[in-house]
Amino acid sequence: MEDVQTIVSFLETVHPYDSLPRDELARVAGCFSRREIAAGETIYRHGERLTGLYLVKRGGVEILEPSGDVISVLGPRNSFGERGLMRDGRAATTAQSTSEGVLLMLPADEFRHLFAASPAFERFFTRRRTQGYRASDLTTQKVADLMARKPVTCGPADTIRAAAMKMRDAGVSSLGVVEGHAFLGIVTTRDMTNKVVATGLDPATPVAEVMTRDPIALSPEALGSDILHVMLERRIGHLPVVEEGRLVGMITQTDLTRFQAVSSAQLVRDAATAESLDELKAVTGRIPKLLVQLVAGHNSHEVVTRLITDISDTVTRRLLTLAEAELGPPPVAYCWCACGSQGRQEQTGVSDQDNCLILSDKTLPADAPYFSALAAFVSDGLDACGYVYCPGEMMATNPRWRQPLAVWRQYFLGWIDRPDPMAQMLSSVMFDLRPIGGDESLFHELQADTLGMAAKNSIFVAHMIANSLKHMPPLGLIRGFATIRSGEHKNHIDLKHNGVVPVIDLGRVYALIGELGAVNTRARLQAAENAGVISVSGARDLIEAYDMIAQIRLENQARLIRSGRAPDNFLAPSDLSDFERSHLRDAFVVVRTMQSALGSARGART
């Protein structure tokens, strides 16, 4: 038995044990047993009953999936075995040492006790994320999430005229006065009016003569309620945000008004009543602010992406209405469908357009110019609104994707009968179709026909499974992540193609196997569980992993927007805390394990 005090000292450096009260930590330390391991020793095998949770004190451990592929390499302070303990008590992977070392083992009963008694312990080992929609409440938002942009500043020796010109050029009503890194005060347009113009003060006077020195300020961690209380009590309209003596932002009454005016319902309403393309562009221009607001409100990723997609759906339908107003009524029925992220209702702050037109079989060659013009009107409008053209021309403007229902049936039949790489790619896109505007019965006829045909063709299903395994989670053996090695995004991971896309691909295959009509990825995983396509434990593990990856992706986009940059899908692991890196890696391990199970002889069963 390891000396208890030695274990206490070690656990004080390991999360979540470091969150336990001192007495409880000492008690828990006394529960651990010590195990010396030799290089190459098997600690447990897949399917074996686990006796406890392992913690690496010294040495290294490889975690292998049932196929024998290494999916993670662990070092000191890393835990393993929790997945099996939290499921059925049997190991979900195989663990073996990579070098001589020492393991500490917490008995299974004690693990379960801590899991039930310690919120920090539970959060760490479940990767729990807040679920459900929360209305964006100004009073509970952090100040850091309400700041519109970086503060505009001047120096105390700058002239009043120079300060006024800077405010005019930047379109702001106040300046922070700083010297070096020190925040000294604030000057506002009200100061210019009351202290300069009204008194006839020389505009060449230094700003220091009219600024408000040492104004009341808030920290980035303060809440919106603090802003409201201070502004109302002090009757002021500008509040500097200061951290460690440095000015990091400025909150104004305009920021509060802007925040309260941005909601998905308001944007949908404005889009639905827009009379011009410029009005629609103004609506979609507010989406980045909405994304930041929703993420700051701790809404789950499926709520955020659904609300953002609702806006693009409304914009698309409004463009269809404006197109018909300009071109006249359509000669035959049509259905405008979206695929890709809009089709799955999973749009974020970065979205291109993927769409197509299903036309009635009554269409005539003479109708082609009308639908060509309709497609151009809508796609051009979407591009102007920020939904850029699809690089692969997967759009209704491409005549190939603007066809009668009978032709669409032949498309899918051909892809299913001859599943070459191009057919697999097209099928992957088109199985995410969702009707947006027009006669939706055209889509439902197509979906009913193709899902059944595809599911019954074992060769096609096998090809779709193989295609779904092309995008792999970014698991590395040394640092935990396989980052991009060169270029603009060196040392980053792609949270789209190597993060959410592998799960999207799995969900699509599960839906195909089960002939499930759901298009949204999370809904597909839940439907696959309910239909028995995947096991309950496998589904829940995968859903939790997907939730974590998708949530971190959104949080990263919101962080980029707040810093004044365009959102993208690239994340530097170094930007995450040790806690977040650990669990993001665990999430990728789950996805890799489910991919392995799907690609094995067991098919899609886990």
Side-chain angles (χ1 to χ4, degrees):
M1 177 73 70
E2 187 102 358
D3 175 72
V4 172
Q5 187 52 50
T6 302
I7 297 178
V8 168
S9 299
F10 178 66
L11 294 180
E12 285 177 332
T13 69
V14 181
H15 192 74
Y17 303 96
D18 59 353
S19 66
L20 296 175
R22 182 73 182 180
D23 291 347
E24 178 67 356
L25 180 62
R27 187 195 67 78
V28 171
C31 297
F32 277 91
S33 61
R34 182 179 188 273
R35 175 176 169 180
E36 295 187 2
I37 52 174
E41 180 178 341
T42 298
I43 301 158
Y44 59 69
R45 297 186 185 278
H46 174 258
E48 289 182 354
R49 184 158 295 280
L50 294 167
T51 55
L53 175 75
Y54 290 91
L55 177 62
V56 182
K57 190 171 188 293
R58 179 165 55 83
V61 173
E62 286 182 336
I63 305 299
L64 300 87
E65 47 185 33
S67 64
D69 293 336
V70 177
I71 52 177
S72 191
V73 174
L74 309 178
R77 297 177 178 80
N78 289 149
S79 298
F80 59 99
E82 68 272 15
R83 282 184 58 210
L85 289 173
M86 293 167 61
R87 292 171 61 174
D88 56 5
R90 296 187 179 277
T93 55
T94 294
Q96 65 183 29
S97 61
T98 58
S99 62
E100 175 272 332
V102 174
L103 302 178
L104 299 179
M105 196 271 286
L106 183 68
D109 288 345
E110 183 59 29
F111 170 78
R112 296 186 183 100
H113 166 74
L114 286 172
F115 187 85
S118 168
F121 209 88
E122 181 197 20
R123 283 194 300 271
F124 185 84
F125 286 106
T126 60
R127 307 179 294 273
R128 175 168 292 177
R129 291 273 172 171
T130 303
Q131 299 296 317
Y133 173 66
R134 298 181 182 180
S136 296
D137 183 355
L138 171 65
T139 62
T140 60
Q141 297 296 300
K142 287 187 176 181
V143 166
D145 296 319
L146 295 172
M147 295 187 297
R149 56 175 166 175
K150 293 180 179 179
V152 183
T153 64
C154 67
D158 290 354
T159 66
I160 292 171
R161 178 182 288 109
M165 293 173 63
K166 182 171 284 190
M167 280 193 272
R168 179 201 64 191
D169 294 343
V172 297
S173 56
S174 64
L175 295 176
V177 184
V178 299
E179 192 166 41
H181 295 307
F183 172 58
L184 303 180
I186 181 175
V187 61
T188 68
T189 52
R190 186 176 180 180
D191 293 327
M192 297 293 185
T193 301
N194 295 343
K195 299 179 181 179
V196 181
V197 177
T199 63
L201 190 65
D202 185 353
T205 302
V207 165
E209 297 296 321
V210 297
M211 74 179 187
T212 300
R213 293 182 177 274
D214 300 319
I216 186 169
L218 295 176
S219 78
E221 295 302 307
L223 298 179
S225 58
D226 298 320
I227 301 172
L228 294 174
H229 295 163
V230 171
M231 285 187 171
L232 290 171
E233 183 179 347
R234 305 295 182 99
R235 297 184 180 181
I236 56 178
H238 301 79
L239 265 176
V241 183
V242 177
E243 187 172 31
E244 296 181 354
R246 302 178 67 166
L247 181 68
V248 295
M250 188 77 71
I251 294 286
T252 69
Q253 289 179 338
T254 302
D255 294 325
L256 303 187
T257 302
R258 185 186 297 114
F259 179 92
Q260 292 173 315
V262 177
S263 72
S264 62
Q266 183 64 54
L267 266 61
V268 165
R269 187 181 307 116
D270 291 348
T273 57
E275 294 296 334
S276 67
L277 181 58
D278 284 342
E279 290 182 22
L280 286 173
K281 287 165 61 178
V283 171
T284 56
R286 289 147 63 191
I287 289 178
K289 181 68 176 178
L290 174 65
L291 185 146
V292 170
Q293 187 169 305
L294 291 172
V295 171
H298 305 291
N299 295 285
S300 59
H301 70 92
E302 70 268 22
V303 170
V304 177
T305 54
R306 171 61 185 274
L307 294 177
I308 290 176
T309 305
D310 286 347
I311 297 166
S312 62
D313 288 356
T314 305
V315 169
T316 303
R317 284 190 287 269
R318 190 58 184 162
L319 285 168
L320 287 168
T321 299
L322 294 175
E324 289 187 19
E326 180 173 308
L327 301 172
V332 296
Y334 71 87
C335 182
W336 183 281
C337 293
C339 42
S341 60
Q342 184 182 2
R344 296 189 305 274
Q345 296 178 300
E346 294 167 1
Q347 288 189 306
T348 66
V350 188
S351 295
D352 59 4
Q353 57 173 294
D354 299 281
N355 45 61
C356 65
L357 267 174
I358 303 173
L359 308 178
S360 165
D361 284 335
K362 295 180 181 179
T363 187
L364 301 172
D367 301 328
Y370 177 93
F371 288 110
S372 175
L374 178 83
F377 187 102
V378 177
S379 287
D380 290 348
L382 288 171
D383 179 72
C385 289
Y387 306 102
V388 298
Y389 298 121
C390 172
E393 295 189 352
M394 189 71 69
M395 299 179 295
T397 50
N398 184 338
R400 185 180 185 185
W401 310 127
R402 189 176 67 244
Q403 294 291 336
L405 177 60
V407 175
W408 279 103
R409 284 196 177 102
Q410 289 302 312
Y411 281 168
F412 276 92
L413 181 61
W415 296 333
I416 294 167
D417 285 346
R418 297 178 298 279
D420 57 28
M422 178 60 72
Q424 295 168 36
M425 185 275 290
L426 294 174
S427 298
S428 295
V429 174
M430 291 302 175
F431 274 116
D432 292 350
L433 281 179
R434 184 170 59 87
I436 304 298
D439 185 351
E440 294 188 6
S441 67
L442 293 169
F443 164 77
H444 293 306
E445 286 185 48
L446 179 65
Q447 184 186 51
D449 290 345
T450 55
L451 265 181
M453 288 190 301
K456 292 176 177 62
N457 189 315
S458 59
I459 296 176
F460 176 75
V461 172
H463 278 276
M464 287 294 287
I465 289 174
N467 189 60
S468 73
L469 304 179
K470 291 180 179 178
H471 293 100
M472 303 296 290
L475 288 168
L477 299 182
I478 299 176
R479 299 179 181 175
F481 297 103
T483 57
I484 297 170
R485 295 183 178 180
S486 61
E488 179 185 359
H489 302 296
K490 183 180 180 181
N491 297 327
H492 288 63
I493 55 177
D494 186 340
L495 287 174
K496 178 181 178 181
H497 290 103
N498 301 111
V500 296
V501 167
V503 187
I504 291 168
D505 290 342
L506 287 171
R508 186 183 299 114
V509 172
Y510 296 150
L512 174 62
I513 292 170
E515 298 183 45
L516 308 171
V519 177
N520 175 266
T521 298
R522 206 172 190 279
R524 279 172 164 168
L525 299 179
Q526 291 171 329
E529 175 189 348
N530 294 336
V533 176
I534 49 177
S535 66
V536 173
S537 59
R540 292 179 183 176
D541 277 353
L542 188 55
I543 289 171
E544 281 191 13
Y546 178 56
D547 286 345
M548 163 152 282
I549 298 165
Q551 199 78 24
I552 287 180
R553 179 191 182 202
L554 279 180
E555 290 169 358
N556 185 56
Q557 290 189 5
R559 185 163 51 246
L560 290 171
I561 293 169
R562 284 198 302 269
S563 68
R565 291 181 285 171
D568 60 34
N569 293 299
F570 299 95
L571 170 74
S574 58
D575 288 342
L576 300 176
S577 66
D578 289 344
F579 176 90
E580 290 172 315
R581 282 197 300 271
S582 173
H583 289 309
L584 181 60
R585 184 201 65 212
D586 289 346
F588 288 143
V589 168
V590 169
V591 176
R592 182 68 186 91
T593 300
M594 296 298 286
Q595 286 182 319
S596 179
L598 181 62
S600 72
R602 293 172 293 173
R605 299 291 302 184
T606 62

